[in-house]
């Protein structure tokens, strides 16, 4: 828990969020500025800065983040039409909050992965 980390403070209940799923090790909540009809962030409760440090530091927990994302995708009705799961990482990746989070996006055709 880092007191200056926004998402650690959401885990601690110090900042409100619309939580859609919680497990012993993960939390999923709606993005405050949604980019699609469904836009949920899925995080590990313990602090890792990004998906690289999570994936190398605790691959089992990384898998639990993916499992929670899949459960939310199913609960939100996204499995039939599909969805996008992405981890912005570092400066070139456009990461703004340095507590690893998967963006789960869906509900409409999402278009090409990147604008050229
Ligand atoms: P990223 O650019 O990948 O680091 O994405 C950070 C995401 O966190 C953005 O999509 C923000 O809209 C979202 N966000 C920032 N503050 C909050 C908050 N308090 N509750 C929910 N989502 C947030």
């Amino acid at each position: 828990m880092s007191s200056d980390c926004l998402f650690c403070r959401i885990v601690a209940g110090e900042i409100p969020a619309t939580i859609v799923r919680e497990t012993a090790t993960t939390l999923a909540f709606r993005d405050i500025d949604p980019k699609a009809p469904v836009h949920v962030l899925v995080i590990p409760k313990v602090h890792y800065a990004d998906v690289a440090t999570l994936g190398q530091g605790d691959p089992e927990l990384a898998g639990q983040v993916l499992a929670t994302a899949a459960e939310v995708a199913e609960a939100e009705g996204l499995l039939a039409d599909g969805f996008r799961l992405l981890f912005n990482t570092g400066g070139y990746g456009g990461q703004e909050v340095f507590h690893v989070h998967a963006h789960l996006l869906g509900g409409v055709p999402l278009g090409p992965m990147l604008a050229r």
Side-chain angles (χ1 to χ4, degrees), residues 6-7 10 15-17 29-35 39 41 86-89 93-98 101 103:
L6 175 64
F7 289 173
I10 286 176
I15 292 177
F29 52 94
R30 298 201 187 280
D31 196 290
I32 203 167
D33 181 20
K35 308 298 192 298
H39 187 173
L41 304 177
L86 65 88
F87 292 88
N88 293 327
T89 305
Q95 186 176 4
E96 294 177 350
V97 178
F98 285 83
H101 49 281
H103 292 260

